[in-house]
Amino acid sequence: RRQRQMCIRDRDYIVETGYDPAFGARPLKRLVQRDIETLLARKIIAGDIDQGTTLVVDVENGEYSITAK
């Protein structure tokens, strides 16, 4: 089993954007799946992530980015 570490720099933005009191955490889960998991999968397929790297999730102007540290 391979493990990666992930650091989310702007957790507050993700929570504010994804949380809805009427629906709880379900919209947050969808946000993570749609925006972060998709971006991560593309980087893995492209071979941009090496084994044992720490991944840093940033958000700027509503755009997510993932970099290997």
Side-chain angles (χ1 to χ4, degrees):
R1 184 175 164 202
R2 297 182 183 146
Q3 293 184 342
R4 306 266 194 281
Q5 292 183 353
M6 186 175 289
C7 170
I8 299 175
R9 291 194 185 184
D10 197 350
R11 189 182 125 246
D12 292 339
Y13 174 83
I14 294 171
V15 171
E16 289 171 16
T17 305
Y19 180 74
D20 183 338
F23 298 105
R26 282 176 277 176
L28 177 61
K29 179 181 176 182
R30 284 189 213 103
L31 179 138
V32 170
Q33 288 173 329
R34 181 188 67 232
D35 296 339
I36 298 172
E37 284 184 7
T38 300
L39 183 58
L40 177 59
R42 289 180 180 155
K43 290 207 167 275
I44 291 170
I45 290 169
D48 294 341
I49 298 173
D50 294 324
Q51 186 173 356
T53 57
T54 297
L55 304 174
V56 179
V57 178
D58 280 315
V59 62
E60 188 173 326
N61 297 325
E63 293 290 322
Y64 292 93
S65 66
I66 297 178
T67 54
K69 185 175 176 186

